[in-house]
Amino acid sequence: MILKFPDNFIFGTAISAFQTEMGSSKESVSENSDWYKWVHDENNIKDGIVSGDLPENGDGFWDLYREDISNAKYMGNNSIRLSIDWARIFPDNIEDIYANIKYEGENIVGVTLPKNSLKEMLSSSNQKAIEHYKEIFKFIKDSGLLLFLTLYHWPLPLWLHDPIKCHDNIETCEKKGWLDNKTIIEFGKYAYFISDVFSKYVDIWETINEPDIIASQGYFFGNLFGFLPGVSDISKAFKVEKNLALAHNISFKNIKKFNKNKEVGIGIAPQYFEPIKNDSETTRFVKFIKYLNNEWFLNATNFGLFDNNLDMIFDEKIENIVPPDYIGIDYYQRVKIGYKGLPDVPYIFNIDLLPCEDCTDFMWDIYPQGLRFVSNELFEKYHRPLYILENGIADAKDLKRSRFLIDHLIELKKTIDEDKIPIKGYYHWSLIDNYEWARGFSMRFGLYSVDYNTKKRHPTKAVEIYKKICNGEEFDEQYR
Ligand code: BGC
């Protein structure tokens, strides 16, 4: 079998800072983020909210990056996607540094830094960390890979968010993270500063990874997924999502200021939602879930349209919103949904989630056709070019990864060739096994598996297949 993609197609692999950097030296450890605090919290561990695995025992990409980037290169990747750690660069509070803030009504729509403030940001930043990131980026460029940089992949500096106090009482805690408008301003400053410092190295930018997941898993599902701060309040979830949309918009403009000709976009995690029945109630309900999960955020960032009370009617239009250059899709699974129809519970809690048919270790349902479906839908709605920024499988025994990869790439090719959807690249999650948030080291997503004791990387079976596909070579179909 051969799967030929367009000549300029980007094939890559993705990782994130918190999930891979720590584990190789004292310097690799970054302790000043909310996620670091959250996964070390004794009560969280005792209550089983988090695994008890600790990120400082992880991959050590901070020191071993040469090997990992060389492995990406070996696979024929022409790009790598990674993120930087805000809390590592700004471990201390910098709220006092002045920024120009622009409002539209009560909404923050612009944050810029005058020259003096930019200088102050530089002197308040962790210079060693910045220099080290530059070394990594230089190695990526020297290896001939395009650098795809995600500004923010989830951990916040502790001076902006105390996840433990907010878990205990979200009303009284002082450092409320994304619930607080202050975080939008600080993110704007961070984006302005980072683009000034790193633009020279970066080819494609992403502002925020999966704002939808930050909001839903952290503020709607309570302790279910172990995401911080483990709150269950839908109005707070969508306040967070609105703040993330505003933060994206501001950071988009700030990155563009320094990167006029580079693509800057946003990535969300749309899933393929399938109704288990065709009756009108189930269809209507699944439409609602899809709207909240796949569309709410993009309506805000593409059209400036906000639905603040979640009735599927827009009640606010913000003019100063600039649509992103692309939409990133992180596609993992099909979710089969039923409607319970219980009159006494809020509509959204009527969700009936069915178990997976073809399961990953995470018990996610493998469904490659969903990638094609979701890509078509999002392109039709938003008319932006697309990147697949994440797609992968937790598969510790390496039994299904090759089939997963091939089948998703077959669907991707159909989406490009037959449906004519402009998908510009595919990043597999993940290059190496990594720290899976509340689940720690148990979920193995890596094309290269990692022995956390020795830090040795071992290729899974899918490495040789991905290599052949990236190079446009024939591969043996028996691998499926
Ligand atoms: C996140 C990654 C995570 C992956 C697998 C994505 O939602 O961006 O950080 O490891 O899913 O769960």
Side-chain angles (χ1 to χ4, degrees):
M1 176 180 248
I2 190 158
L3 286 177
K4 274 228 181 265
F5 281 77
D7 284 345
N8 55 356
F9 194 74
I10 294 179
F11 270 120
T13 36
I15 52 175
S16 88
F18 185 79
Q19 295 180 273
T20 60
E21 283 177 356
M22 295 179 238
S24 43
S25 61
K26 212 165 129 261
E27 293 70 45
S28 72
V29 180
S30 166
E31 313 176 319
N32 297 303
S33 74
D34 57 355
W35 263 101
Y36 190 90
K37 183 162 181 174
W38 181 250
V39 297
H40 282 80
D41 183 74
E42 278 177 18
N43 288 330
N44 277 348
I45 297 173
K46 185 166 61 60
D47 297 343
I49 295 175
V50 298
S51 65
D53 290 345
L54 301 176
E56 61 269 35
N57 299 323
D59 292 325
F61 176 81
W62 192 249
D63 297 292
L64 303 175
Y65 66 89
R66 289 182 191 81
E67 183 180 348
D68 293 326
I69 293 160
S70 303
N71 283 336
K73 177 89 186 156
Y74 169 81
M75 283 188 286
N77 289 185
N78 48 17
S79 180
I80 184 164
R81 171 177 172 237
L82 44 78
S83 70
I84 45 175
D85 175 4
W86 185 355
R88 193 191 277 283
I89 298 178
F90 289 108
D92 302 319
N93 194 331
I94 51 159
E95 281 165 58
D96 285 349
I97 300 180
Y98 175 81
N100 298 313
I101 302 168
K102 187 173 163 194
Y103 286 89
E104 183 183 316
E106 287 181 353
N107 298 304
I108 304 169
V109 291
V111 175
T112 52
L113 291 174
K115 274 217 169 81
N116 271 351
S117 298
L118 199 54
K119 268 197 204 144
E120 272 183 73
M121 293 278 286
L122 187 63
S123 54
S124 310
S125 64
N126 174 350
Q127 305 281 323
K128 264 191 157 174
I130 290 181
E131 285 316 306
H132 193 84
Y133 276 126
K134 283 185 182 169
E135 271 172 37
I136 299 177
F137 296 169
K138 195 166 173 314
F139 189 80
I140 291 172
K141 307 300 298 173
D142 290 348
S143 305
L145 300 176
L146 296 173
L147 172 57
F148 183 112
L149 189 68
T150 300
L151 198 57
Y152 175 68
H153 198 133
W154 299 357
L156 280 174
L158 273 176
W159 49 272
L160 281 169
H161 192 206
D162 185 335
I164 308 302
K165 286 214 172 109
C166 290
H167 184 242
D168 292 345
N169 190 335
I170 190 68
E171 306 300 338
T172 58
C173 68
E174 276 172 22
K175 295 172 188 163
K176 285 192 174 33
W178 284 113
L179 259 184
D180 194 332
N181 293 354
K182 189 167 76 182
T183 304
I184 305 176
I185 298 173
E186 292 307 315
F187 189 65
K189 286 159 65 177
Y190 168 64
Y192 197 98
F193 172 79
I194 292 296
S195 15
D196 181 43
V197 172
F198 290 135
S199 283
K200 168 172 160 208
Y201 305 91
V202 182
D203 298 288
I204 310 170
W205 291 85
E206 180 185 34
T207 55
I208 296 173
N209 175 71
E210 299 180 4
D212 45 328
I213 298 289
I214 301 171
S216 63
Q217 307 224 356
Y219 294 86
F220 177 67
F221 286 109
N223 291 333
L224 190 64
F225 296 106
F227 266 51
L228 57 77
V231 166
S232 178
D233 178 335
I234 193 157
S235 65
K236 292 206 168 43
F238 279 89
K239 164 75 176 148
V240 163
E241 199 148 325
K242 179 176 181 185
N243 281 358
L244 286 160
L246 296 174
H248 153 77
N249 178 51
I250 291 161
S251 61
F252 172 87
K253 292 180 203 160
N254 287 357
I255 298 171
K256 273 288 183 193
K257 207 178 292 273
F258 298 90
N259 298 268
K260 297 238 160 9
N261 301 317
K262 291 181 192 165
E263 289 170 296
V264 186
I266 178 79
I268 64 159
Q271 308 305 339
Y272 176 66
F273 293 107
E274 190 176 285
I276 55 164
K277 281 203 249 153
N278 285 331
D279 62 287
S280 60
E281 279 193 320
T282 315
T283 311
R284 187 171 142 247
F285 185 67
V286 172
K287 200 171 160 206
F288 178 62
I289 298 293
K290 194 165 76 172
Y291 164 77
L292 291 186
N293 197 80
N294 295 4
E295 296 160 22
W296 193 99
F297 190 85
L298 295 177
N299 291 335
T301 51
N302 282 264
F303 309 133
L305 292 171
F306 290 80
D307 166 14
N308 295 316
N309 59 357
L310 312 179
D311 60 358
M312 297 181 87
I313 298 169
F314 300 121
D315 38 52
E316 189 179 19
K317 165 108 172 97
I318 301 183
E319 298 296 336
N320 279 286
I321 297 268
V322 186
D325 294 332
Y326 68 82
I327 293 171
I329 294 180
D330 296 2
Y331 174 76
Y332 285 93
Q333 58 174 325
R334 166 173 67 175
V335 182
K336 285 195 286 175
I337 294 185
Y339 174 62
K340 285 186 181 153
L342 304 172
D344 299 334
V345 299
Y347 190 55
I348 193 165
F349 288 114
N350 270 293
I351 192 162
D352 194 10
L353 292 170
L354 268 79
C356 47
E357 276 172 33
D358 183 5
C359 304
T360 72
D361 292 351
F362 234 136
M363 303 310 273
W364 293 352
D365 198 18
I366 303 174
Y367 192 69
Q369 299 90 318
L371 178 62
R372 181 175 184 186
F373 194 87
V374 163
S375 304
N376 268 278
E377 259 204 352
L378 292 187
F379 183 70
E380 271 161 30
K381 278 212 153 75
Y382 302 105
H383 296 284
R384 310 311 290 164
L386 305 174
Y387 279 95
I388 309 305
L389 293 184
E390 286 182 28
N391 172 238
I393 175 170
D395 180 22
K397 296 203 175 104
D398 198 19
L399 299 173
K400 298 185 174 180
R401 183 170 287 99
S402 303
R403 173 166 65 86
F404 182 99
L405 176 72
I406 295 169
D407 288 350
H408 281 81
L409 288 176
I410 289 174
E411 291 301 318
L412 185 62
K413 191 169 155 51
K414 286 188 206 154
T415 317
I416 297 171
D417 293 353
E418 294 172 27
D419 308 339
K420 309 285 179 226
I421 304 297
I423 301 183
K424 303 178 80 174
Y426 171 90
Y427 290 83
H428 192 81
W429 185 272
S430 175
L431 172 58
I432 42 179
D433 282 340
N434 50 52
Y435 188 78
E436 184 53 38
W437 307 106
R439 300 297 292 271
F441 296 119
S442 58
M443 294 297 149
R444 302 275 182 157
F445 278 91
L447 283 166
Y448 283 84
S449 72
V450 176
D451 177 332
Y452 289 109
N453 293 319
T454 62
K455 312 295 172 194
K456 274 215 151 64
R457 277 69 167 147
H458 301 280
T460 61
K461 289 183 275 210
V463 162
E464 288 304 315
I465 297 167
Y466 196 32
K467 180 177 177 207
K468 290 217 159 83
I469 297 175
C470 292
N471 292 333
E473 290 166 9
E474 207 170 325
F475 59 94
D476 195 337
E477 221 173 318
Q478 76 177 13
Y479 286 123
R480 294 180 73 218

